[in-house]
Amino acid sequence: MSFDELLHQARVTGDFQPLVASIPYAELIGLRFQRFGKDVLFQLPKNDDNIGNPILPAIHGGVIGGFMELSASLHLLMTMETLAMPKMIDFSLDYLRAGRHQDTFAECQVWRQGSRVANVAITAWQAERVTPIATARAHFLLTR
């Protein structure tokens, strides 16, 4: 089944698990998610393969960035009001703390969705939501 068919099926049924399972990078880093109504909580489980600095040990910054970027794209696919496919225009990431070798969570907030562009804010944390390890902003072009 193609990605477009999986996306269409996910939007009809509301089950995005097969769509996420079809994304190789999501599978590689172990991305998981839970939906609570319209809210979505993304999880990057503790995984030795995601370690970038074995001395601390800390999650590789690229894995944290990729996790947040993929979370924003998936969040938009799950919550968009249109059938447009989001394409990333810009992604800006601020690392606030080292991502320790433990579960990491991300939450996305769509600040604005127009007919052509959407703005999404992403926050990633580990032990407490009030002490994020990274924040990011993503801008998407919505194309059909």
Side-chain angles (χ1 to χ4, degrees):
M1 188 178 285
S2 73
F3 187 80
D4 288 343
E5 292 170 337
L6 282 171
L7 178 59
H8 178 72
Q9 183 178 10
R11 285 184 170 155
V12 169
T13 64
D15 181 12
F16 283 82
Q17 192 57 49
L19 178 77
V20 173
S22 74
I23 301 171
Y25 188 69
E27 191 75 18
L28 178 71
I29 65 173
L31 184 138
R32 298 180 189 157
F33 70 95
Q34 285 186 310
R35 296 183 75 178
F36 303 95
K38 290 196 169 209
D39 292 332
V40 186
L41 180 64
F42 295 93
Q43 180 184 9
L44 179 66
K46 179 180 176 180
N47 181 349
D48 290 344
D49 293 336
N50 293 338
I51 296 295
N53 183 342
I55 296 171
L56 291 179
I59 300 171
H60 191 280
V63 172
I64 293 171
F67 167 62
M68 295 175 76
E69 184 180 319
L70 188 55
S71 297
S73 298
L74 290 170
H75 181 83
L76 210 49
L77 284 174
M78 293 176 185
T79 60
M80 275 193 328
E81 298 162 359
T82 68
L83 294 177
M85 177 63 87
K87 294 183 179 179
M88 188 160 297
I89 300 170
D90 181 38
F91 186 78
S92 177
L93 175 62
D94 295 320
Y95 294 101
L96 305 174
R97 295 173 179 78
R100 299 293 179 178
H101 186 42
Q102 60 191 51
D103 289 355
T104 304
F105 303 93
E107 185 176 62
C108 303
Q109 180 179 9
V110 178
W111 281 343
R112 182 181 184 279
Q113 180 188 338
S115 61
R116 299 179 67 187
V117 175
N119 302 336
V120 181
I122 310 102
T123 304
W125 72 91
Q126 291 185 316
E128 297 179 43
R129 189 179 294 216
V130 294
T131 54
I133 62 167
T135 60
R137 293 152 310 282
H139 303 120
F140 292 91
L141 176 66
L142 305 177
T143 61
R144 293 180 191 238

